[in-house]
Amino acid sequence: MCTLCRPADSCKRLPSANRRPALVSRSPDPARLITSDPRRLRAVAKRLAGAGSAPSRLLLLAVGLIIFIVAGFPARAQDSSAAKTAEAGADDKTEERAYALLEDVIVKAQTLRLAENRIRFKTAAACLLWPRDESRARTIIVENMNALATLLASADKTDPRFADRRQAYTILRYELVRMIASRDAKLALNFLRATRQERPSASAPDPELALELTLAAEVAPKDAKEAAHIAEESLNNGVAAELLNVLDKMSTADREAATALATDIIKRLQSEDLTSDGDAAVVAAGLLSMTRTPRADSPAAPDHADSDAQAGRALITVDEQTRRDLISAVAAGAAAMPASRMSNAHILFNSLPAVMPELEKYAAGQLAAIRAKSDEFRRSLDPTTRAWQKYEDLRQQGSADALLEAAAKAPPEVGDELYADAAFKVLDGDDPERARQIINSISDPQRRALKGRMLEQQLLERSLLRGKLEDAEQRIPPDATVEERLSTLLYLSTIATQRKESALARRFISDAMSLVGGRVRNGFQFSARLQIARALSANEPQRGFAILDDLADQLNDLLAAAEAVDGFGPDCFNDGELKPFAGNMWGELVGQFGEVLAALAPKDSERAVSIARKFQRDEVSASVSLRVAERVLSDAEAKRRGHALAGAR
């Protein structure tokens, strides 16, 4: 999936006429003039040599020393300048390779038979091409927008596979809109609306509304006002659950805009029936949490909400009347909830305990009805869910001893999880032996074994981070599977690389390679080789490229064989081409290959491009090439920013 590679116009150089001339000092410092020109130093030395006094000779010695030191400056400056020029030239060549690769993708995509492949690859290439040629990129995107609209309009609704195709097109549109949004949010919205799909049924949730709000959440961190505009428009069609995600993203980018949107949503909730509209009830419950000022003793909220909790402020701040309107809407919905809707009202009823003081303040007349409905809701839950609800607060905030006490009295299926929770809390307190003893209290043998392995894995990782790496391999459990051993060895190689212990990193990678064997015979071995190639990127990238070179040849053979037997197994091909959609096992394998090759690309872009072009199938070559080009261009942009930052210091 494409990400922002470079800001617009960053690749354009200013014409020489626009460059600022060097500033000339009107009163130069004599010392600076002398030390900046060795010829002046020699002239001064000659004059001093003519004076035979001791002080003059001492001064001559001093000036001679200066000559010796400074004489090398111009050469070193020239060397440094030449090195920078060479580096800039190499970077330019690297970018040119990436852009040439994009041109290849556009040409190859045009010849593909599947319209989905053509649209996907050309749009992705256009988004990467954007910084160099925005006008052309826009033209390509609009062409693909029209092509996708035509494809959707011509879909055969009588085809038994129509429902699957519809879902596939929804995934494709979402992927393309995210790409385009990284360049231009309004263009992405136009793309979404121009390719709008029919609603499956009047009673079903509108997927288009959800997609537009997903787009709003994507653009919110960079353009909160545009996100708010999209969300406000969506309110004309109802209250969708995705509004909460938009508000969450906006709250960090523009609190004022987030507050205004939350206020408008709460106004809209006044006219919504929370007893029949699941999304409205979800949004109301979410807003209860987002607009509530956290208590000093409440557990810290995740992510960026943590700082708000510590500061004693709500994620989104609304005025008292708006908060009161929200409480009233929730109270009315809970009090009137019919028995037939109880099973779908978990979020609403689970949110009530935290706002009980406000319910008593703002909805005192409905308290009796709310409590009665809450009791009815708890009775409607199945026994296991009821049992779990009782322990939720304990699991989040309780001590290990409190969990152990509860586990001994709880039903077995609940008690086993409480024992596991207690064990990991004890492990956090650095008492591994007691943690192991607690794990042994789990009654279910399979669950006990699973939790035990998780515990040992955490212990291994901690010991590796704290201790010496030389003997770390010996601490891998003897009963570890090949997959677990391989994963641990590659993890060890990463730590060794971070510690600049290159020889040790190579040893771990070598041991990992010995687990895989010779020629790839199955999917695990293929993925394992890819992981090893990625691990080699830090210290021995050329060995990593050699592995990928081999795997590219094997993947060509595998894809040819897979197409030949496609009718007898998974449906991964259509009209002789690999289908692009999620769930396609061969497509996912190609995606993994592309990711690893992209990770190695900054080490040797020429070789990465060469491997990307090895694939015999145009759709595979295009997919891998896009990943390589994206990584090369983003790496070049990161270097440019680093140089600019260093120059500004």
Side-chain angles (χ1 to χ4, degrees):
M1 193 163 293
C2 293
T3 57
L4 254 176
C5 302
R6 303 195 291 168
D9 300 326
S10 64
C11 62
K12 299 177 182 175
R13 291 187 172 85
L14 288 173
S16 58
N18 293 335
R19 292 177 188 155
R20 181 181 296 181
L23 297 177
V24 179
S25 171
R26 294 184 180 178
S27 55
D29 178 359
R32 186 173 64 82
L33 287 175
I34 291 174
T35 56
S36 66
D37 188 345
R39 287 177 298 178
R40 288 187 185 224
L41 287 170
R42 294 187 187 101
V44 172
K46 275 186 179 181
R47 288 199 295 272
L48 289 172
S53 64
S56 296
R57 285 195 296 273
L58 286 174
L59 185 55
L60 175 61
L61 181 62
V63 173
L65 183 60
I66 294 174
I67 292 173
F68 178 76
I69 294 171
V70 176
F73 280 13
R76 282 196 292 272
Q78 287 171 9
D79 289 345
S80 174
S81 176
K84 287 181 179 177
T85 302
E87 183 182 352
D91 288 344
D92 286 345
K93 283 184 180 178
T94 296
E95 286 191 74
E96 288 306 321
R97 286 192 197 101
Y99 282 118
L101 205 54
L102 291 179
E103 295 296 341
D104 282 356
V105 169
I106 292 170
V107 171
K108 287 178 180 177
Q110 195 60 41
T111 65
L112 296 176
R113 292 183 290 276
L114 292 184
E116 305 95 304
N117 279 336
R118 289 197 303 273
I119 292 167
R120 179 172 176 262
F121 294 140
K122 287 177 69 180
T123 303
C127 289
L128 290 171
L129 186 65
W130 188 285
R132 169 166 285 200
D133 192 343
E134 180 180 329
S135 176
R136 184 177 174 218
R138 282 182 179 277
T139 300
I140 293 172
I141 290 170
V142 171
E143 286 174 357
N144 285 296
M145 176 178 74
N146 296 332
L148 182 56
T150 301
L151 183 66
L152 295 173
S154 62
D156 183 3
K157 297 182 178 64
T158 63
D159 188 333
R161 296 171 296 175
F162 175 73
D164 291 339
R165 287 184 182 276
R166 179 189 179 86
Q167 184 180 7
Y169 292 148
T170 299
I171 294 170
L172 176 63
R173 288 174 68 226
Y174 173 64
E175 183 181 352
L176 298 182
V177 166
R178 286 192 66 188
M179 292 179 195
I180 301 166
S182 69
R183 298 306 186 188
D184 187 324
K186 290 181 181 178
L187 180 60
L189 185 60
N190 290 340
F191 190 101
L192 194 57
R193 290 175 175 173
T195 59
R196 190 177 181 89
Q197 292 179 280
E198 289 183 15
R199 195 169 180 169
S201 67
S203 59
D206 187 357
E208 298 301 320
L209 184 60
L211 278 173
E212 288 195 13
L213 289 173
T214 301
L215 169 61
E218 286 284 328
V219 303
K222 292 180 293 185
D223 192 345
K225 288 183 171 51
E226 180 63 26
H229 175 70
I230 297 171
E232 291 281 4
E233 283 189 344
S234 79
L235 284 174
N236 296 325
N237 299 311
V239 177
E242 288 77 11
L243 281 166
L244 293 175
N245 194 25
V246 179
L247 283 170
D248 181 58
K249 297 290 182 65
M250 285 178 63
S251 67
T252 58
D254 188 334
R255 278 184 170 273
E256 187 177 337
T259 296
L261 176 59
T263 301
D264 288 344
I265 295 172
I266 291 169
K267 286 179 183 175
R268 176 61 193 249
L269 286 171
Q270 308 305 303
S271 60
E272 296 289 317
D273 181 3
L274 270 61
T275 66
S276 61
D277 188 339
D279 273 15
V282 167
V283 172
L287 281 168
L288 281 179
S289 174
M290 284 181 158
T291 59
R292 183 174 68 247
T293 302
R295 302 189 315 269
D297 61 345
S298 64
D303 302 328
H304 61 272
D306 187 25
S307 59
D308 291 305
Q310 291 174 4
R313 66 183 181 187
L315 186 63
I316 296 174
T317 305
V318 295
D319 59 60
E320 185 180 359
Q321 183 57 52
T322 301
R323 176 75 179 170
R324 183 175 198 156
D325 291 342
L326 176 61
I327 294 289
S328 298
V330 170
M337 188 66 67
S340 60
R341 295 285 303 170
M342 284 290 178
S343 60
N344 296 321
H346 290 71
I347 294 176
L348 188 66
F349 280 103
N350 288 338
S351 69
L352 295 181
V355 293
M356 193 54 70
E358 290 174 285
L359 287 170
E360 292 172 353
K361 181 179 178 181
Y362 297 134
Q366 294 174 296
L367 270 182
I370 290 171
R371 288 193 172 111
K373 288 292 181 180
S374 294
D375 289 341
E376 185 181 345
F377 167 72
R378 280 190 288 274
R379 289 194 299 271
S380 72
L381 300 173
D382 63 83
T384 303
T385 305
R386 279 205 305 273
W388 274 116
Q389 272 207 329
K390 180 179 175 182
Y391 299 102
E392 278 307 310
D393 287 342
L394 178 65
R395 294 186 75 190
Q396 291 181 21
Q397 303 174 52
S399 66
D401 289 337
L403 285 165
L404 288 172
E405 184 180 347
K409 301 173 184 175
E413 65 274 11
V414 176
D416 282 352
E417 283 301 317
L418 294 179
Y419 279 123
D421 289 345
F424 285 104
K425 278 186 182 286
V426 167
L427 183 63
D428 288 339
D430 249 357
D431 192 348
E433 286 310 313
R434 188 183 177 210
R436 289 190 180 102
Q437 291 171 7
I438 294 172
I439 287 290
N440 287 332
S441 300
I442 295 175
S443 59
D444 185 315
Q446 291 183 335
R447 187 174 297 172
R448 183 170 62 245
L450 174 63
K451 298 295 184 180
R453 293 179 85 85
M454 290 170 62
L455 184 75
E456 294 302 326
Q457 184 65 27
Q458 282 200 26
L459 280 170
L460 174 63
E461 290 183 7
R462 290 182 186 193
S463 67
L464 295 179
L465 290 171
R466 295 172 184 173
K468 291 183 178 180
L469 290 179
E470 285 80 353
D471 60 343
E473 194 171 347
Q474 307 307 315
R475 295 200 292 275
I476 300 176
D479 61 340
T481 64
V482 174
E483 290 88 344
E484 290 169 342
R485 186 172 289 275
L486 177 80
S487 177
T488 303
L489 286 168
L490 294 178
Y491 174 67
L492 287 170
S493 76
T494 301
I495 297 175
T497 299
Q498 290 169 351
R499 295 184 183 180
K500 302 190 182 306
E501 298 181 44
S502 302
L504 201 52
R506 285 193 288 270
R507 191 192 92 190
F508 290 135
I509 292 172
S510 178
D511 290 347
M513 290 184 73
S514 69
L515 297 173
V516 179
R519 184 174 173 81
V520 170
R521 300 291 181 189
N522 54 50
F524 162 70
Q525 288 182 329
F526 194 97
S527 295
R529 286 291 183 93
L530 287 176
Q531 292 177 52
I532 290 168
R534 185 192 287 270
L536 285 165
S537 65
N539 294 310
E540 298 179 274
Q542 291 309 318
R543 284 185 68 198
F545 279 119
I547 290 173
L548 294 180
D549 218 332
D550 253 358
L551 291 179
D553 291 333
Q554 291 186 47
L555 193 50
N556 275 328
D557 295 341
L558 288 168
L559 288 168
E563 184 190 359
V565 300
D566 189 56
F568 299 91
D571 183 19
C572 297
F573 293 81
N574 188 10
D575 201 12
E577 278 181 20
L578 192 62
K579 294 194 296 188
F581 303 124
N584 181 332
M585 61 177 285
W586 293 109
E588 289 174 1
L589 203 59
V590 169
Q592 289 174 30
F593 185 98
E595 285 176 10
V596 176
L597 182 59
L600 280 157
K603 303 291 185 179
D604 186 342
S605 62
E606 188 173 6
R607 188 157 187 193
V609 168
S610 173
I611 292 174
R613 286 175 169 158
K614 284 189 74 171
F615 288 102
Q616 296 162 358
R617 309 183 69 90
D618 284 346
E619 71 274 23
V620 174
S621 178
S623 176
V624 174
S625 295
L626 282 168
R627 291 179 185 272
V628 170
E630 179 186 9
R631 177 58 188 268
V632 168
L633 292 173
S634 64
D635 188 67
E637 175 57 21
K639 282 184 180 178
R640 248 192 308 278
R641 289 176 182 167
H643 293 328
L645 188 62
R649 286 174 182 168

